[in-house]
């Protein structure tokens, strides 16, 4: 656990960057520091690995005051990922990842084979290993940056705006694969971002900073959306909070699904039991979209499929269920189980009724 106790930082020029910061970043969890620019997020993060020393207060790692540990020893326990990866330009990808373990005495072969393992873990194909950083895209470089930070298997990881320098599509991919990786490695992570959506998506816990380097609120993403501590947090978290909060509520088994008539491409409408909209499924019974049998002629063709509806996962969130219903041409949102097989459908009304029931049950208990 990383602990801040009444930590403040005043820079020599008199700037009060961080003021009386107290919070914990629990082990195995991802804590995101978020807030407007200049509110002390980076300063706070750099006080963890002592790139910056606090003016007041104590930062400790698993109960040990970081000032009592040699700074170099401390940093061995703390991986560090920065924006734009910060790779060594004259070393190949694999040597970038192997550099620190080599410095710490690992054999060349051992360090390289571990580096290749890590590159695979962060989703980078082996064929990139011999390239130089400039021969990679920004997103690929960032993956190498993550692999390099994990090379010595440190228990703690600091990430400074790690996904900010890439375009939105690549950013989403990097975030998703990083979440997947974290499920595997379970590091104690502190990440800085100015992007509240990134914070809510990635954080197990989110610390919202306000100007003057004070903490406005520390909470889970669901709590921040449902119970912002004050007007500043509410405003910073932004609009559509009610709808976004549904993204953190699992679609429980108590939402009842209706059965749907299914059909495959190539089927003859005359052979189908049903005479209006039905679900087109592939060979694995995964839903592709809807077809209106009244408009289909001799056989159901791919070009007749309406792909507009999203498909929710049975173990996904209420937001996914509602979105599936709202985006469906029939108002019936498709829900798929493990392996993508169609499980049934749900309407927006049913989702809303479910939410109302849960709310009443919550109030009653
Ligand atoms: P954030 O990461 O939230 O954008 P920072 O921690 O970088 O904020 O900065 C907090 C405040 O401290 C800002 O007002 C910034 O200008 C100031 N600051 C950062 N580094 C220094 C420094 N080395 N000397 C003086 N002021 C600094």
């Amino acid at each position: 656990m990383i602990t801040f106790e009444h930590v403040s930082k005043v820079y020599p020029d008199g700037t009060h960057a961080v003021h009386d910061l107290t919070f914990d970043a629990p082990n195995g969890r991802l804590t995101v520091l978020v807030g407007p620019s200049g509110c002390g997020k980076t300063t706070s993060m750099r006080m963890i690995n002592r790139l910056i020393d606090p003016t007041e207060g104590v930062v400790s790692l698993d109960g040990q005051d970081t000032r009592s540990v040699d700074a170099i020893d401390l940093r061995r326990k703390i991986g560090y990922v920065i924006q734009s990866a910060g790779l060594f330009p004259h070393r190949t990808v694999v040597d970038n990842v192997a550099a620190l373990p080599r410095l710490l005495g690992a054999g060349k072969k051992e360090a390289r084979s571990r580096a290749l393992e890590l590159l695979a873990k962060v989703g980078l194909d082996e064929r990139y290993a011999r390239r130089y950083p400039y021969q990679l895209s920004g997103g690929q470089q960032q993956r190498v940056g993550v692999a390099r930070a994990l090379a010595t298997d440190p228990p703690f990881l600091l990430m400074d705006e790690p996904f900010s320098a890439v375009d939105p599509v690549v950013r989403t991919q990097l975030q998703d694969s990083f979440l997947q990786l974290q499920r595997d490695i379970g590091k104690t992570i502190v990440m800085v971002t100015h992007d509240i959506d990134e914070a809510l998506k990635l954080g197990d816990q989110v610390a919202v900073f306000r100007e003057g380097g004070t903490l406005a609120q520390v909470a889970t993403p669901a709590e921040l959306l449902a119970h912002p501590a004050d007007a500043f947090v509410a405003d910073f978290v932004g609009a559509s909070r009610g709808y976004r909060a549904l993204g953190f509520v699992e679609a429980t088994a108590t939402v009842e699904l209706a059965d749907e008539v299914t059909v495959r491409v190539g089927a003859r409408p005359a052979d189908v039991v049903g005479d209006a909209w039905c679900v087109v499924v592939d060979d694995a019974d995964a839903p592709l979209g809807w077809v209106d049998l009244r408009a289909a002629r001799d056989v159901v063709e791919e070009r007749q499929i309406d792909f507009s509806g999203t498909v929710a996962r049975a173990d996904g969130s209420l937001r996914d269920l509602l979105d599936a219903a709202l985006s469906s041409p029939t108002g019936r949102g498709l829900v798929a189980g493990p392996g993508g097989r169609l499980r049934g459908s749900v309407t927006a009304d049913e989702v809303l009724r479910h939410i109302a029931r849960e709310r009443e049950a919550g109030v009653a208990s």
Side-chain angles (χ1 to χ4, degrees):
M1 181 161 77
I2 301 171
T3 310
F4 283 78
E5 284 171 276
H6 300 291
V7 173
S8 295
K9 175 68 188 179
V10 183
Y11 282 110
D13 68 356
T15 305
H16 285 258
V18 174
H19 178 69
D20 198 20
L21 193 61
T22 297
F23 77 98
D24 297 329
N27 277 351
R29 298 301 169 93
L30 201 165
T31 298
V32 183
L33 314 185
V34 69
S37 178
C39 62
K41 307 180 293 289
T42 310
T43 301
S44 300
M45 195 182 71
R46 289 185 180 162
M47 287 194 279
I48 299 171
N49 61 357
R50 284 185 49 196
L51 289 177
I52 296 173
D53 283 321
T55 318
E56 271 179 64
V58 176
V59 181
S60 43
L61 257 57
D62 289 335
Q64 190 172 33
D65 185 339
T66 50
R67 281 171 310 188
S68 68
V69 189
D70 175 69
I72 303 296
D73 289 339
L74 179 74
R75 285 176 206 148
R76 278 184 195 158
K77 290 201 277 185
I78 308 174
Y80 194 29
V81 183
I82 58 171
Q83 194 177 350
S84 307
L87 303 176
F88 305 123
H90 304 300
R91 292 191 189 185
T92 60
V93 163
V94 66
D95 286 339
N96 258 280
V97 179
L100 195 53
R102 287 280 290 141
L103 208 65
L104 296 175
K108 193 168 179 174
K109 225 171 138 191
E110 178 199 339
R112 283 197 162 188
S113 77
R114 167 123 180 93
L116 289 174
E117 255 172 53
L118 276 167
L119 287 169
K121 258 194 175 165
V122 298
L124 210 59
D125 197 276
E126 203 174 326
R127 70 198 148 101
Y128 294 110
R130 306 265 162 238
R131 291 198 189 177
Y132 288 89
Y134 77 91
Q135 295 169 313
L136 301 185
S137 71
Q140 289 165 340
Q141 289 185 30
Q142 207 54 33
R143 287 178 194 267
V144 181
V146 173
R148 191 176 61 171
L150 294 172
T152 56
D153 200 17
F156 302 98
L157 195 59
L158 306 182
M159 307 182 83
D160 192 354
E161 300 267 6
F163 310 127
S164 299
V166 292
D167 66 66
V169 174
V170 174
R171 189 180 313 155
T172 303
Q173 290 167 353
L174 286 175
Q175 290 168 342
D176 291 343
S177 70
F178 186 72
L179 274 179
Q180 193 71 41
L181 179 68
Q182 167 65 355
R183 261 178 229 130
D184 231 32
I185 59 179
K187 300 285 179 194
T188 305
I189 304 174
V190 173
M191 177 187 288
V192 165
T193 180
H194 62 274
D195 176 352
I196 183 65
D197 288 316
E198 179 165 272
L200 295 174
K201 175 175 177 180
L202 299 182
D204 296 303
Q205 165 176 278
V206 178
V208 182
F209 282 61
R210 69 163 92 234
E211 258 133 70
T214 57
L215 206 50
Q217 188 170 4
V218 185
T220 63
E223 278 166 6
L224 270 190
L225 285 162
H227 307 291
D230 57 22
F232 168 80
V233 179
D235 188 48
F236 187 74
V237 171
S240 314
R241 290 192 291 279
Y243 180 60
R244 284 154 75 204
L246 291 181
F248 298 97
V249 186
E250 265 178 47
T252 60
T254 53
V255 180
E256 262 187 50
L257 302 182
D259 288 335
E260 289 291 343
V261 174
T262 61
V263 66
R264 298 215 165 124
V265 171
R268 287 157 32 93
D271 297 339
V272 179
V273 193
D275 52 9
W277 287 97
C278 51
V279 182
V280 187
V281 292
D282 66 11
D283 292 342
D285 283 331
L288 298 171
W290 293 86
V291 67
D292 185 353
L293 290 183
R294 291 164 299 192
R297 294 183 171 230
D298 301 339
V299 291
V300 173
E301 294 175 34
E302 188 161 350
R303 64 185 175 84
Q304 294 164 334
I305 304 175
D306 184 318
F307 293 103
S308 58
T310 57
V311 178
R313 285 194 352 230
D315 62 352
S317 69
L318 286 181
R319 175 173 158 166
D320 297 340
L321 281 192
L322 196 55
D323 192 75
L326 293 175
S327 63
S328 166
T330 65
R332 310 199 297 272
L334 298 179
V335 182
R341 278 174 68 108
L342 179 68
R343 286 273 286 269
S345 70
V346 68
T347 63
D349 270 356
E350 281 157 18
V351 179
L352 294 178
R353 271 200 298 274
H354 173 79
I355 294 167
R357 276 197 305 271
E358 293 284 294
R359 186 160 290 165
E360 273 168 28
V363 170
S365 63

